[in-house]
Amino acid sequence: MGTLTTEYRWLLPAALVADPDEERPVRRSTRDWVVDTICFVLGYGFTVLATIDLLQPHPTIVPQWQGTPHWLVWLDFVAGTLLAAALWWRRRWPVWLALGAQPLGLFTVSGAISGLVLLFTVAVHRRFAVTAAITAVTIATNAVFVGVRPEHNTGYWEGLIWSVVIIAIIVLWGMVVRSRRQLVVSLRDRADRAESEQQLRVAQARVLERTRIAREMHDVLAHRISLLSLHAGALEVRPDAAPAEVAGAAAVIRASAHQALQDLREVIGVLREGESDPATAPERPQPTIAELSALADESRAAGVRVRLDLGLESSDVPELTGRTAYRIVQEGLTNARKHAPGAVVNVAVGGAPGSGLTIEIRNPWPIPGAAGVALPGAGTGLVGLAERATLAGGRLTHWRTDAEFSLSAWLPWPAGGTA
């Protein structure tokens, strides 16, 4: 309906064009002015023609009321004029105008068209109970009218039945128009709600995407920066190291810093996309389980003693499961570097299609006197890992004993190799 409302707004009634939240009276639309003008012309035109015809010796428009006294004809004309003038305010006070027309309806002939228009307006703009009450009053008024001004060659009951039939047709027509307008309004409200819900879904998708990017940034940068801190700490505690060792550590620091800056640049680039659709944003290549060996070698190069045991019966690990496993191992190694420098980290990854993928990471408590640098942390790494594992359909637990810290995870690995 949006196109019609914009392009053909003047063809719609004011009740459909107006803002439903507006409390002030609705102004007439162009269509309302045209319809009101036509109704007034028909109502008052019939009043004038019926009055002129009743003043003739042999009426042709209303011959059934031939011989009406002239004083009654002129009184009828005044009543018809008042009813026709009331048509200009029929939308603002439909019920009161319809009730006010009942005394005039006891005797007026020339105001018949205007009276029917007022009844039609009540049926369009008011609920059924009100319409039914006004209709009953109108039928009672017509029952009196048929007795006060009987038609020639027509019996009382015949005239009353025809009046009831005409009233019923007018009321049913108005109810049909009202139901159609209510349908249009409900469809418009439904479309507005659907648009609002769509905007909400887009906003939620954007928040979820930014949360995913923040989690990815935490996993990647925490790993890189912990390596940087570890190498820098080693240089700090060993100022007399051989030039080759210093050069090697400096090269690792430079490479890790470069990679960290590259990762940070990519993440910030995505965040600066602003209102773009997150689904269409470019995504950096994601690690897989095949890169666990390289991850362990990277940590060994930084001086961390890592024992990696890959007991996989198949290399066909689903992409989501492999990526989640990589992040879990990465965060486990980062935590070990932060909280247990110098300790041996045992990483065991195993599983098979159909039974799932298991990850076990264990390291003893920090060795007293071990060289290390205290690394700051937000304390949410394990919480993020647990959420990541849950989203992948698995579970993650961690605990500590008097001697060591343990982290265990299980991830789904369907028999078909897909997830």
Side-chain angles (χ1 to χ4, degrees):
M1 179 177 166
T3 304
L4 276 177
T5 304
T6 303
E7 188 174 357
Y8 304 108
R9 192 181 184 89
W10 59 275
L11 288 177
L12 298 175
L16 295 181
V17 175
D19 186 354
D21 296 330
E22 285 284 343
E23 296 182 357
R24 58 184 180 182
V26 179
R27 298 181 60 182
R28 287 188 182 97
S29 65
T30 303
R31 174 210 179 261
D32 291 341
W33 278 107
V34 173
V35 172
D36 290 347
T37 302
I38 293 175
C39 290
F40 175 77
V41 170
L42 291 177
Y44 193 63
F46 180 78
T47 298
V48 173
L49 293 177
T51 301
I52 296 174
D53 194 54
L54 287 174
L55 293 174
Q56 304 299 322
H58 302 286
T60 57
I61 299 178
V62 285
Q64 61 271 40
W65 285 287
Q66 182 179 355
T68 302
H70 283 192
W71 66 268
L72 183 56
V73 174
W74 288 113
L75 181 61
D76 194 341
F77 173 75
V78 173
T81 300
L82 292 176
L83 291 176
L87 295 179
W88 291 107
W89 294 276
R90 62 190 180 91
R91 290 189 181 86
R92 181 168 297 184
W93 303 296
V95 175
W96 293 111
L97 291 178
L99 289 176
Q102 299 307 314
L104 302 179
L106 294 172
F107 62 89
T108 181
V109 173
S110 62
I113 300 296
S114 299
L116 291 176
V117 173
L118 291 176
L119 181 61
F120 175 81
T121 304
V122 172
V124 171
H125 294 278
R126 292 296 180 266
R127 55 193 178 91
F128 175 76
V130 177
T131 301
I134 299 297
T135 302
V137 174
T138 304
I139 291 176
T141 300
N142 275 267
V144 176
F145 171 83
V146 174
V148 173
R149 300 191 67 175
E151 301 179 17
H152 296 296
N153 303 323
T154 303
Y156 176 83
W157 291 108
E158 182 181 355
L160 180 59
I161 290 174
W162 278 111
S163 298
V164 172
V165 169
I166 294 174
I167 290 173
I169 292 174
I170 294 298
V171 171
L172 291 176
W173 183 17
M175 292 173 63
V176 169
V177 173
R178 175 177 173 80
S179 64
R180 181 181 178 277
R181 290 187 181 181
Q182 288 179 332
L183 176 61
V184 172
V185 171
S186 67
L187 292 177
R188 181 176 63 184
D189 293 341
R190 187 179 302 177
D192 292 340
R193 286 197 303 269
E195 183 177 357
S196 300
E197 291 172 359
Q198 175 64 20
Q199 293 176 354
L200 180 60
R201 284 193 294 269
V202 170
Q204 290 175 342
R206 186 175 294 116
V207 171
L208 291 176
E209 179 67 11
R210 288 171 181 255
T211 302
R212 184 192 67 81
I213 294 173
R215 187 186 298 119
E216 196 78 11
M217 182 169 61
H218 171 272
D219 294 341
V220 174
L221 294 186
H223 174 71
R224 299 291 179 190
I225 294 175
S226 65
L227 290 177
L228 284 173
S229 179
L230 191 64
H231 282 284
L235 291 177
E236 182 179 3
V237 299
R238 293 187 57 191
D240 57 344
E245 295 180 3
V246 173
V252 173
I253 291 175
R254 181 183 59 79
S256 298
H258 177 78
Q259 187 62 44
L261 288 175
Q262 182 66 24
D263 293 336
L264 183 61
R265 186 180 298 110
E266 292 178 1
V267 171
I268 293 177
V270 174
L271 292 177
R272 284 178 176 173
E273 291 294 327
E275 301 299 323
S276 63
D277 185 3
T280 61
E283 186 172 309
R284 65 190 304 272
Q286 297 296 311
T288 64
I289 199 169
E291 300 177 38
L292 285 180
S293 298
L295 179 65
D297 292 338
E298 190 177 42
S299 296
R300 293 190 187 102
V304 180
R305 292 181 292 173
V306 180
R307 295 175 182 173
L308 178 62
D309 180 15
L310 290 177
L312 301 177
E313 297 184 7
S314 172
S315 60
D316 189 18
V317 179
E319 180 180 355
L320 177 60
T321 300
R323 182 168 64 249
T324 305
Y326 180 92
R327 293 305 184 194
I328 291 175
V329 174
Q330 184 183 55
E331 181 66 18
L333 294 177
T334 301
N335 284 337
R337 286 194 296 271
K338 286 182 180 180
H339 306 295
V344 177
V345 184
N346 296 285
V347 180
V349 180
S355 61
L357 184 71
T358 59
I359 303 170
E360 296 285 344
I361 303 177
R362 299 176 182 272
N363 60 268
W365 283 111
I367 301 174
V373 180
L375 300 179
T380 59
L382 293 178
V383 176
L385 283 185
E387 180 183 0
R388 185 189 290 271
T390 301
L391 292 176
R395 57 183 179 271
L396 183 142
T397 57
H398 59 88
W399 66 94
R400 61 182 180 180
T401 64
D402 294 337
E404 66 177 7
F405 175 84
S406 301
L407 184 148
S408 176
W410 178 89
L411 300 173
W413 187 352
T418 58

